[in-house]
């Protein structure tokens, strides 16, 4: 990781999220700078997607504040927010008969005005995004014809075309094979480092996250722990957070491993 930008691009302070009658996360605080990539990890149901939506301004936190590039999200209009934060949601959207280049062009909507016509500058940004994400070779194919790995890269290209300094992604490597998981993670690493973007992604790919990310955000029992991969391994929190029948975290390899041992009972 290179030298950090002085001002954090994404700053969460005392953020709590949940649903009526159910608290998921309380008092989450962290800073993410330009040039940093962070992984949001935790068991299913710990609130990763809900937290990402609050950080993107898609839902209001129950309490606390989120600042994007030095401004509270609540003070930004929808267009200003879209120019500051891009988000790649989980799953594969239906794009009808839209080709990849047109899909990526949708990322320019925050900049095109009411008519939505792409200027020469917008078209240039689309082509750059296609190239960055490695989807230029199939830019004229229908989005529906792409493999899962190709489709995920196309969605990342759309977010890149949006030109937002903060990029949030919900399970970008889900359902991908090993080769495509690593390819997507390396793409995001390059986007963060060379594009000076703050990249935060929710993922179950613990091993790759520990290898490629600058920061780890670990959700466990309603709390968010924030630190470097080395710090989270040394803390023993991964072993605690992922402790379950038949699984253990191996600090030496940075992986979850199967075991025949039963967890100790309190």
């Amino acid at each position: 990781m290179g030298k950090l930008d002085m001002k954090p691009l994404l700053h969460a302070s005392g953020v709590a999220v949940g649903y009526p009658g159910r608290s998921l996360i309380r008092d989450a605080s962290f800073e993410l700078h330009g040039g940093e990539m962070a992984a949001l990890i935790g068991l299913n149901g710990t609130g990763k997607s809900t937290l990402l939506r609050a950080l993107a301004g898609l839902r209001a936190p129950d309490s606390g504040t989120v600042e994007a590039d030095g401004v509270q999200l609540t003070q930004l209009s929808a267009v200003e927010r879209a120019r500051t934060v891009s988000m790649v949601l989980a799953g594969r959207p239906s794009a009808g008969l839209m080709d990849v280049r047109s899909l990526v062009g949708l990322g320019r909507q925050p900049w095109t005005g009411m008519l939505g016509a792409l200027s020469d500058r917008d078209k240039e940004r689309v082509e750059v995004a296609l190239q960055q994400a490695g989807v230029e070779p199939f830019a004229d194919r229908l989005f529906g014809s792409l493999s899962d790995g190709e489709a995920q890269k196309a969605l990342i290209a759309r977010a890149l075309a949006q030109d937002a300094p903060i990029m949030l992604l919900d399970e970008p490597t889900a359902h991908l094979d090993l080769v495509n998981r690593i390819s997507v993670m390396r793409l995001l690493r390059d986007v963060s480092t060379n594009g000076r973007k703050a990249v935060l992604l929710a993922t179950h790919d613990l091993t790759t996250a520990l290898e490629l990310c600058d920061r780890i955000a670990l959700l466990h029992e309603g709390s968010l722990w924030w630190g470097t991969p080395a710090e989270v391994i040394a803390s023993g929190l991964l072993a605690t957070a992922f402790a379950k029948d038949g699984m253990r975290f191996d600090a030496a390899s940075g992986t979850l491993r199967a075991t025949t041992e039963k967890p100790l009972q309190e």
Side-chain angles (χ1 to χ4, degrees):
M1 181 179 67
K3 184 178 179 180
L4 290 182
D5 297 340
M6 292 297 293
K7 183 180 72 173
L9 285 176
L10 183 62
H11 181 201
S13 179
V15 170
V17 294
Y19 298 99
R22 185 188 178 196
S23 173
L24 289 173
I25 302 167
R26 55 187 180 274
D27 197 26
S29 300
F30 66 88
E31 292 183 349
L32 189 62
H33 294 74
E36 282 188 316
M37 183 167 82
L40 181 60
I41 62 175
L43 295 175
N44 287 333
T46 52
K48 296 187 297 296
S49 296
T50 306
L51 178 59
L52 281 178
R53 287 178 174 273
L55 296 174
L58 299 181
R59 59 159 290 168
D62 299 333
S63 61
T65 59
V66 178
E67 290 185 3
D69 201 12
V71 182
Q72 287 194 28
L73 282 182
T74 54
Q75 298 176 355
L76 296 174
S77 67
V79 170
E80 289 171 333
R81 192 170 63 242
R83 290 179 176 182
T84 309
V85 183
S86 64
M87 184 166 183
V88 179
L89 296 170
R92 181 168 175 163
S94 175
L97 297 178
M98 186 175 293
D99 60 55
V100 172
R101 180 174 279 103
S102 298
L103 177 79
V104 174
L106 294 178
R108 296 303 300 167
Q109 284 185 332
W111 305 94
T112 56
M114 295 185 62
L115 297 179
L118 297 183
S119 67
D120 289 342
R121 166 64 176 164
D122 293 321
K123 293 176 182 178
E124 178 184 339
R125 288 305 307 151
V126 168
E127 294 305 316
V128 170
L130 290 167
Q131 186 176 22
Q132 282 181 301
V135 298
E136 193 175 25
F138 47 88
D140 296 319
R141 286 173 52 189
L142 294 180
F143 179 74
S145 73
L146 302 184
S147 68
D148 287 340
E150 291 170 337
Q152 191 61 61
K153 289 182 179 180
L155 294 174
I156 292 172
R158 182 178 65 179
L160 289 173
Q162 196 171 327
D163 265 345
I166 301 167
M167 183 181 292
L168 308 177
L169 305 98
D170 193 0
E171 298 288 354
T173 60
H175 312 302
L176 301 185
D177 58 29
L178 178 60
V179 172
N180 277 303
R181 287 203 309 269
I182 294 175
S183 176
V184 166
M185 290 290 281
R186 290 193 179 279
L187 166 61
L188 295 173
R189 173 74 271 179
D190 181 68
V191 166
S192 172
T193 302
N194 296 324
R196 306 307 296 171
K197 294 182 184 292
V199 176
L200 175 62
L201 62 140
T203 182
H204 287 288
D205 189 354
L206 182 59
T207 302
T208 309
L210 291 172
E211 290 176 349
L212 294 181
C213 289
D214 304 295
R215 306 286 176 184
I216 300 294
L218 171 62
L219 291 176
H220 178 56
E221 295 183 345
S223 296
L224 182 142
W225 181 96
W226 181 265
T228 66
E231 288 169 343
V232 73
I233 292 174
S235 72
L237 289 171
L238 286 173
T240 302
F242 288 95
K244 55 193 299 187
D245 198 284
M247 297 296 295
R248 68 179 178 85
F249 177 73
D250 179 23
S253 62
T255 59
L256 290 171
R257 294 184 177 275
T259 178
T260 57
E261 298 176 1
K262 297 289 185 180
L264 295 176
Q265 301 296 318
E266 296 287 342

